[in-house]
Amino acid sequence: MPRTTRLSSSLLRAAAVTGVAALTLTACGSGSGTGSTGSGSGSVKIGLITKTDTNPFFVKMKEGAERAAKENGAQLLTAAGKFDGDNAGQVTAVENMVASGVKGILITPSDSKAIVPALAKARAKGVLVVALDTPTDPESAVDALFATDNLKAGELIGAYAKAAMKGRTAKIATLDLAPGVSVGVQRHNGFLKGFGVKDGDPSIVCSQDTGGDQAKGQTAMENCLQKDPDVNLVYTINEPAALGAYTALKAKGREKDVLIVSVDGGCTGTRGVKDGKIAATSQQYPLNMAAEGVKAVVTYAKDGKKASGYTDTGVTLITDKAQDGITSKDTAYGLEKCWG
């Protein structure tokens, strides 16, 4: 296993100055940011920039990157925005990492379009840039993308919901992410495609943005119930939003007769499926994304070969209420594979 070295005090002071207030830039191997995992000063430096450092999905992604960095004798610098959507923080992180001499940057873009100029500058300096989980807009703004097929993830739960409704007239509430975030758009569109409707269809009685937050998911569901008390199908961008929706429905005594479907496959969300709060979820695998991204940068550093195009890191429909014609795995499988 590669040894752990210490960053110099001067470098720490520089990081404190250049990090601004928007993010934290650290080297993995220490929660305080004072350690560096790698094989020494000559090892390959890799940057990982996530949307936040609190979301369990990104915590697991960081774990996967740290593990892969150790296995490959690389150093991993990490940074995260203060909140989901903190593009300014991510821009600063990109600039800091390029200045630190990284060979590659792995990033989950908070704003798929706004981050593009910063990534273009990094690539112009010879840095390999790989998007994880969330594509940039355009996708060609990075060298490669390792991610869940979010359109497919949405289609899986849409098709499941269609089968589970068993011909009942649907009154759909969509609890979405935020405008302009590609992952949210793709999941939303995939759900509609899988269910067999389009935006503007009269069956969609309410749409609210949640930012993927549980409290905001609860508020969004409360708003939708005020708009149409007969909502009977809820699509949510992720499981925190789904659990927030469940809380709002339970307060109205509607938790038994409203179908909730979601995407992510975290352990809390998968337990929500097992407990019957969520009917089904599409599980994705952040460890795979991070590990593949690290390997791509190490390969580039060794032989100059750049990863390119899109690599699907997998998605599985998880439910304990299987439907005819819909391929799925149960929550026992989901809990073995979950994260967070």
Side-chain angles (χ1 to χ4, degrees), residues 65-121:
E66 288 173 342
R67 185 182 307 166
K70 288 179 181 179
E71 291 172 352
N72 288 276
Q75 288 182 301
L76 184 73
L77 304 179
T78 64
K82 282 188 172 182
F83 54 87
D84 196 328
D86 182 13
N87 181 69
Q90 289 198 323
V91 168
T92 302
V94 170
E95 293 170 348
N96 288 348
M97 287 179 173
V98 172
S100 296
V102 296
K103 194 66 176 178
I105 291 175
L106 315 176
I107 185 168
T108 61
S110 280
D111 189 313
S112 299
K113 289 185 177 180
I115 195 64
V116 169
L119 300 183
K121 291 178 182 178

Side-chain angles (χ1 to χ4, degrees), residues 23-43:
L23 54 92
T24 302
L25 175 61
T26 67
C28 78
S30 170
S32 66
T34 59
S36 173
T37 299
S39 59
S41 60
S43 62

